[in-house]
Amino acid sequence: MKFIYSFDEGNKDLKDLLGGKGANLSEMTNLGLSVPPGFVITTEACKEFLEKGQTPLDLELQITLALRKLEDQAEKVLGDFENPLLVSVRSGAKFSMPGMMETILNVGLNDNSVIGLGKVTNNDRFAWDAYRRLVQMFGKTVLDIDGELFTDEFEKTKQKLKVEEDFQLEAEDLERLVQKYKEIIKENAKTEFPQHPRMQLDMSIISVFKSWNTERAKMYRRRERIPNDLGTAVSVGMMVFGNMGETSGTGVCFTRDPATGSKGVYGDYLKNAQGEDVVSGIRNTLTLQQMSEIEPKIFSDLLVIMHKLEIHYRDLCDIEFTVENGKLWILQTRVGKRTAAAAFRIAMQFVDEQLITMDEALLRVSGAQLVQLMFPQFDRSVQKMPITKGIAASPGAAVGKAVFDSKVAADWAQRGEQVILVRRETNPDDLGGMIAAAGILTSRGGKTSHAAVVARGMGKTAVCGAEDIDVNLDNKFAKCGIHTIKEGDIISIDGSNGEVYIGEIKVESSVIVKYLEQGLEQVSTSLKPDEVELVTAVDRLLKHADSRRQLEVRANADTPNDAKIARKFGAQGIGLCRTEHMFLGERRLVIERLVLAETDLEREASLVELLPLQQSDFQKIFDEMDDLTVTVRLLDPPLHEFLPDLADLKVKAALTQERGQVNLDLSKLLAAVQRLHETNPMLGMRGVRLGLIIRGLYNLQVKAIAEAMALQTAAGKKPKVEIMVPLVGSYMELSIIRSEAEQIIAEVESKQQVKLPITIGTMIELPRAALTASRIATVADFFSFGTNDLTQTTWGFSRDDVEAEFFSPYLEKGILTISPFETIDAEGVGELIQIAIERGRKTNPDLHLGVCGEHGGDPESIHFFHKCGIDYVSCSPFRVPVARLEAGRAALESALIN
């Protein structure tokens, strides 16, 4: 097998084999740029080494032949005493893993060749500095010696000689330092620094192979979700030196500003230095503009190369270069990393420059980047230390007065106060306060806790699981170390990194949200030119995504205001209108009486009171979404959420008894709540079971929906309505509810003399429902996959508990690569979805399919749903633009694959 490719044999399309670095070095060589000659050892060699614990049998021979070719090209010999060839040995995987693996420079120097190098360059200081760097780097990376030992010795030498900068050390000083370094190696590695150049090379190559499996590399791959079986290539190239004097130097440049996307020349240059000096920041660099003044010819040549590479790659390029005695060498290029704002601006710049198509531009941005642009951010120029750090649950920046009660939050917000709701954790009764608050801070929970899920859905900033904060709800204060936060104190929370601050941090608002709310034309009048360019780029790419996508994008919206925002953000309907939020506050007492009713008369009284309220709720939402589909989910939450707290009732009963009093109503209520109490309410009386057991509950909602639709129709509107039955696990459950619903709809049609084309379907959120989808589909017009509960019931996870309990070790051990509540588990939950689709459409070819869980707004999950043949995804209003963008990208990527 061929394990080695010289730079003139490869190209940029061989990243799987040559890694990103090797493939791009080969590509630049083919373009005729001044790239130091070299060769690449393939990822296949690395994989065989990692699998068998030794290098392939013929790799050593192939290295020898490649080295001979390199020596011919360089007109130097590795280890030669008079004019030695020195090489760099660098890692380079298919996907960029900056700083995660090893690099060894100046390989080939020894006690003899360092003297020859000094003579041939007429620069003894340079030669000994190169040798010093090799011994230090080799000891740390190849022999695994603590790098601080070398650093400490270096600093001692400078202190002894009373110099501050590295370059102030003379050749004799560096020679003595090399001897000290070799002593450190002998003492700590129990071996001598190898003098044979080929041994140095072979050991360096093995070190790079091994660095694929260092803890930091594995951790990085887990975080970036890079497969563990790819391996790294190794690039071996002729060293060129920027530290040979005043006519030498090294630098990094970008063909456009990676921070903003602005056109121009951006980068850093350092005279008389090697590459790591620029990256490490140990010396102040010059800008490229300053470089143009001291090296005008080199700068001019660099501009030509930058332009050539950008045109060739048709993208922003990140370029590393070295100047050796007045000659420019290009050491590396790659498509440059950029901020979210730069990504959108640069994509459209290249379209306007006719270098890429709109389809290519859409594939160069992502939903994750759009999310970053939509959340407000703190001004990073403000220097302030956080008091603690929790889980970054919902991005953005929020500043306000700390409040510890949801009603207080709503009241204060009503009078114009900005508030941060501070709780141990939140529950559905906190919704009013959560809506009113600028941000949410909890001391418990994680990314999938109630606070986090609701906050993301509303586009609210949230920090959860800040365990250092002790929240005292009774006395309305919180302690965090030496700090006390009292009600009314100003605090700031950063949902992008989980940091919590005392006092106010300046917030920069998002121009993208303003554009989505106001429209491009209106918002542009108040923006700076670069902001106008950004919002225009986002607008063009969103519209192009809309023209390409096959998935319809709806929103999860429970209120008229949610519906209005969803429509502004481009939603094509409501895919999930949750009705449980309509029963909070004062209405909770009414639903409580309905649940606890013992007679038909009591039950009917509650239903009569609730009907006009529900009808009004639905009519307002239908009005906002006129001519767009609204999918109303019938009541779903566990029974206990409609009942008084059992523990509170027991305390009240005990106190009453202790006083020798008798309270028959309290005793009766306690008995009823105890009778209905459930050990595991999330798997108990909820969803369709409520509708079947609590007589009249679902019929009330269906009647309210039908009458609201009839009134809208009579008013000349065009309501489009679907009724969705939750938590169905059996064909008979849905069949019974459907039959009753159709009868009620027919009665309203007859009474109002109007046709109400209401479709009825179900959520698929139980494994049994997915497996029996062929039968359930015979009584369903549509399926909507409730992926939150489907994930819980498939994994056997409690969403509110598992993240804090064991997600971190699961991620560290590689059992999970990401939370299955964030991104769909394609192998498990996804398989159930595909089974349900196949079986459902087999018996009902016209079955409409949607997704209404949190995954409907997750970029990676959207691509999976596109492949499955889902008709629509539904997500929070704030996520609608993200889903639109990713649905368009999914269609393009699918077309490329096929």
Side-chain angles (χ1 to χ4, degrees):
M1 179 182 287
K2 183 178 175 64
F3 289 115
I4 291 184
Y5 288 71
S6 62
F7 289 170
D8 55 12
E9 291 180 301
N11 60 66
K12 64 181 175 64
D13 298 323
L14 294 180
K15 289 183 180 179
D16 285 337
L17 199 61
L18 307 182
K21 186 181 278 106
N24 286 326
L25 284 168
S26 296
E27 188 74 10
M28 291 192 296
T29 298
N30 296 333
L31 286 173
L33 301 184
S34 53
V35 177
F39 58 88
V40 185
I41 304 171
T42 68
T43 56
E44 293 298 323
C46 176
K47 287 189 281 189
E48 184 168 330
F49 171 80
L50 295 175
E51 180 183 342
K52 298 180 179 179
Q54 61 184 35
T55 56
L57 292 176
D58 57 345
L59 179 61
E60 189 173 331
L61 174 60
Q62 291 189 34
I63 291 174
T64 299
L65 295 175
L67 187 57
R68 292 293 172 266
K69 179 178 178 179
L70 173 56
E71 289 172 337
D72 290 342
Q73 292 172 313
E75 298 182 348
K76 300 177 183 178
V77 175
L78 187 72
D80 184 75
F81 289 178
E82 295 183 1
N83 186 19
L85 168 68
L86 306 185
V87 297
S88 61
V89 181
R90 301 175 185 266
S91 60
K94 176 182 179 180
F95 300 105
S96 179
M97 294 173 55
M100 295 302 108
M101 294 182 290
E102 304 296 5
T103 291
I104 303 95
L105 305 179
N106 304 333
V107 172
L109 273 177
N110 57 27
D111 293 347
N112 294 311
S113 58
V114 67
I115 296 171
L117 181 64
K119 289 180 179 178
V120 76
T121 59
N122 196 29
N123 191 334
D124 287 341
R125 189 206 174 277
F126 151 72
W128 283 104
D129 186 44
Y131 197 17
R132 183 269 303 178
R133 292 171 187 265
L134 168 63
V135 178
Q136 180 174 353
M137 202 174 289
F138 194 92
K140 180 176 180 294
T141 61
V142 180
L143 300 177
D144 200 26
I145 297 171
D146 184 358
E148 290 299 316
L149 296 174
F150 299 102
T151 303
D152 291 346
E153 190 61 44
F154 194 70
E155 291 304 317
K156 285 179 188 176
T157 299
K158 289 200 294 183
Q159 290 173 8
K160 182 179 179 181
L161 297 172
K162 297 180 180 180
V163 300
E164 294 184 2
E165 301 293 343
D166 300 357
F167 58 81
Q168 292 176 299
L169 295 176
E170 301 293 339
E172 296 79 9
D173 305 325
L174 292 166
E175 182 178 358
R176 284 191 294 270
L177 192 58
V178 166
Q179 299 309 314
K180 291 285 188 181
Y181 280 3
K182 289 197 289 185
E183 289 171 11
I184 291 173
I185 287 177
K186 185 174 182 179
E187 180 179 346
N188 291 272
K190 308 305 179 186
T191 187
E192 301 280 354
F193 173 76
Q195 291 293 304
H196 198 293
R198 180 58 188 269
M199 181 181 289
Q200 294 176 14
L201 177 60
D202 290 342
M203 291 177 70
S204 297
I205 291 168
I206 296 297
S207 176
V208 173
F209 282 163
K210 287 181 176 179
S211 69
W212 175 257
N213 278 335
T214 59
E215 281 306 311
R216 69 185 183 198
K218 289 191 286 188
M219 185 183 302
Y220 184 87
R221 290 199 296 276
R222 282 197 300 270
R223 189 183 69 180
E224 299 297 320
R225 307 185 71 189
I226 297 172
N228 283 317
D229 60 354
L230 297 180
T232 181
V234 181
S235 296
V236 179
M238 181 185 79
M239 285 292 304
V240 290
F241 300 96
N243 58 334
M244 292 185 71
E246 290 302 302
T247 59
S248 300
T250 190
V252 178
C253 60
F254 298 90
T255 55
R256 303 187 188 215
D257 188 345
T260 67
S262 298
K263 298 179 183 179
V265 178
Y266 301 89
D268 298 302
Y269 180 68
L270 199 53
K271 291 179 66 175
N272 196 20
Q274 281 199 286
E276 65 266 28
D277 298 333
V278 176
V279 177
S280 66
I282 60 175
R283 288 166 56 187
N284 292 328
T285 60
L286 303 174
T287 65
L288 291 191
Q289 285 76 10
Q290 291 171 316
M291 176 192 175
S292 68
E293 298 171 6
I294 59 174
E295 298 284 1
K297 175 64 169 61
I298 297 296
F299 177 75
S300 177
D301 292 343
L302 181 61
L303 287 184
V304 171
I305 291 171
M306 290 170 66
H307 181 69
K308 185 171 187 176
L309 286 174
E310 185 176 82
I311 295 297
H312 183 75
Y313 282 91
R314 299 184 305 138
D315 209 340
L316 163 70
C317 289
D318 170 356
I319 304 165
E320 295 179 16
F321 64 93
T322 283
V323 178
E324 182 184 79
N325 291 328
K327 178 175 174 56
L328 176 64
W329 293 93
I330 306 300
L331 306 183
Q332 182 175 333
T333 192
R334 57 192 161 212
V335 171
K337 294 186 181 295
R338 65 210 73 183
T339 64
F344 278 86
R345 290 179 65 187
I346 290 171
M348 292 315 303
Q349 288 168 7
F350 277 90
V351 169
D352 294 339
E353 293 168 24
Q354 299 182 330
L355 288 171
I356 62 174
T357 65
M358 281 296 293
D359 283 352
E360 289 174 301
L362 182 55
L363 291 172
R364 291 189 182 183
V365 296
S366 70
Q369 291 169 328
L370 185 56
V371 168
Q372 292 177 35
L373 294 178
M374 292 175 68
F375 282 107
Q377 300 292 327
F378 283 131
D379 186 344
R380 295 300 170 194
S381 65
V382 177
Q383 299 294 317
K384 194 165 186 177
M385 288 294 293
I387 61 168
T388 189
K389 187 170 185 177
I391 295 170
S394 185
V399 179
K401 293 182 177 180
V403 294
F404 300 87
D405 178 86
S406 288
K407 188 176 187 308
V408 173
D411 291 344
W412 285 23
Q414 185 71 30
R415 68 187 195 212
E417 303 274 13
Q418 284 279 106
V419 299
I420 304 293
L421 180 62
V422 183
R423 305 282 290 169
R424 292 194 189 101
E425 68 277 316
T426 63
N427 60 58
D429 280 344
D430 289 316
L431 186 65
M434 297 173 77
I435 290 172
I440 299 149
L441 170 63
T442 68
S443 60
R444 300 175 185 166
K447 281 190 176 182
T448 55
S449 65
H450 176 269
V453 171
V454 174
R456 286 196 294 270
M458 296 188 297
K460 297 278 184 181
T461 297
V463 173
C464 297
E467 297 177 351
D468 292 341
I469 298 178
D470 182 13
V471 180
N472 188 320
L473 296 175
D474 293 334
N475 296 305
K476 298 186 176 181
F477 73 88
K479 292 278 291 182
C480 182
I482 62 172
H483 302 281
T484 299
I485 302 170
K486 295 176 290 186
E487 186 171 79
D489 288 349
I490 298 290
I491 61 173
S492 302
I493 61 172
D494 192 333
S496 301
N497 59 23
E499 293 178 344
V500 180
Y501 301 86
I502 296 286
E504 182 175 354
I505 304 290
K506 183 181 176 183
V507 172
E508 298 176 326
S509 60
S510 165
V511 297
I512 298 303
V513 171
K514 290 179 182 177
Y515 140 71
L516 290 165
E517 292 173 339
Q518 302 173 25
L520 180 62
E521 186 174 342
Q522 182 176 343
V523 78
S524 295
T525 59
S526 61
L527 300 180
K528 300 173 184 176
D530 60 334
E531 292 174 329
V532 172
E533 183 183 356
L534 174 60
V535 296
T536 303
V538 171
D539 180 73
R540 291 171 67 185
L541 285 164
L542 276 175
K543 288 176 178 174
H544 187 69
D546 290 338
S547 73
R548 287 288 188 257
R549 61 186 168 89
Q550 297 169 21
L551 279 170
E552 187 178 312
V553 177
R554 301 183 188 178
N556 301 341
D558 311 332
T559 67
N561 188 56
D562 285 346
K564 182 184 291 185
I565 294 171
R567 193 154 195 161
K568 285 182 177 180
F569 281 24
Q572 296 165 282
I574 293 177
L576 176 62
C577 177
R578 291 163 289 211
T579 55
E580 52 267 26
H581 292 156
M582 300 173 184
F583 291 96
L584 299 176
E586 295 177 0
R587 296 187 195 181
R588 177 170 174 162
L589 294 175
V590 184
I591 196 76
E592 180 183 310
R593 292 199 299 270
L594 174 62
V595 172
L596 296 174
E598 294 182 350
T599 67
D600 289 343
L601 192 62
E602 290 175 343
R603 185 176 299 107
E604 186 62 30
S606 298
L607 292 172
V608 168
E609 188 174 349
L610 285 169
L611 180 61
L613 299 174
Q614 277 274 270
Q615 180 183 303
S616 175
D617 291 333
F618 294 133
Q619 195 171 349
K620 290 173 183 176
I621 292 174
F622 295 165
D623 192 56
E624 287 291 348
M625 301 303 288
D626 190 47
D627 204 28
L628 295 177
T629 300
V630 176
T631 305
V632 180
R633 182 179 74 184
L634 301 181
L635 214 55
D636 178 53
L639 188 63
H640 77 279
E641 293 191 10
F642 300 126
L643 300 174
D645 184 77
L646 179 59
D648 287 346
L649 287 177
K650 285 182 176 180
V651 170
K652 288 178 183 177
L655 290 173
T656 301
Q657 187 176 11
E658 189 178 299
R659 297 187 194 105
Q661 300 171 340
V662 177
N663 187 329
L664 294 178
D665 289 338
L666 177 60
S667 299
K668 184 179 176 181
L669 180 60
L670 176 59
V673 172
Q674 284 179 320
R675 174 172 51 84
L676 296 170
H677 177 71
E678 297 176 304
T679 304
N680 191 345
M682 292 305 292
L683 294 177
M685 184 69 76
R686 56 169 293 210
V688 68
R689 301 156 199 167
L690 285 172
L692 289 167
I693 303 304
I694 300 177
R695 284 183 293 149
L697 179 58
Y698 273 14
N699 290 350
L700 154 78
Q701 292 195 291
V702 172
K703 186 175 183 180
I705 291 167
E707 290 188 347
M709 185 178 182
L711 289 172
Q712 286 297 103
T713 303
K717 300 296 181 69
K718 298 177 181 179
K720 296 179 180 179
V721 181
E722 298 177 340
I723 292 176
M724 183 159 66
V725 183
L727 213 72
V728 164
S730 159
Y731 154 84
M732 282 303 298
E733 289 175 324
L734 182 59
S735 180
I736 293 170
I737 296 294
R738 183 184 183 106
S739 178
E740 294 178 357
E742 287 177 335
Q743 184 178 341
I744 292 167
I745 293 168
E747 290 172 358
V748 175
E749 285 179 324
S750 176
K751 179 181 176 181
Q752 300 292 340
Q753 292 296 298
V754 65
K755 186 66 178 172
L756 302 175
I758 300 174
T759 57
I760 300 173
T762 183
M763 292 182 78
I764 302 295
E765 44 194 337
L766 296 173
R768 191 181 193 279
L771 295 172
T772 61
S774 57
R775 193 152 187 237
I776 294 175
T778 62
V779 287
D781 298 315
F782 65 88
F783 285 170
S784 182
F785 293 95
T787 52
N788 297 345
D789 274 335
L790 187 56
T791 298
Q792 285 197 105
T793 53
T794 301
W795 276 92
F797 284 165
S798 167
R799 181 175 59 192
D800 293 332
D801 299 323
V802 294
E803 187 167 46
E805 293 292 330
F806 58 80
F807 265 21
S808 290
Y810 263 46
L811 291 167
E812 289 171 8
K813 294 176 186 296
I815 298 171
L816 295 173
T817 57
I818 195 169
S819 166
F821 294 109
E822 292 182 40
T823 296
I824 198 75
D825 162 31
E827 293 181 350
V829 178
E831 182 71 13
L832 285 172
I833 290 172
Q834 290 176 307
I835 288 170
I837 291 171
E838 181 184 349
R839 294 180 182 179
R841 279 187 167 160
K842 189 173 183 179
T843 55
N844 183 357
D846 297 325
L847 189 69
H848 202 58
L849 300 168
V851 171
C852 62
E854 275 245 327
H855 300 94
D858 171 65
E860 187 173 334
S861 302
I862 289 169
H863 288 247
F864 174 79
F865 298 139
H866 171 88
K867 293 175 186 174
C868 288
I870 295 286
D871 296 305
Y872 71 88
V873 293
S874 187
C875 55
S876 68
F878 192 80
R879 283 268 175 173
V880 165
V882 176
R884 289 166 57 196
L885 189 81
E886 284 297 341
R889 296 181 73 246
L892 291 178
E893 287 185 1
S894 180
L896 288 174
I897 293 171
N898 297 329

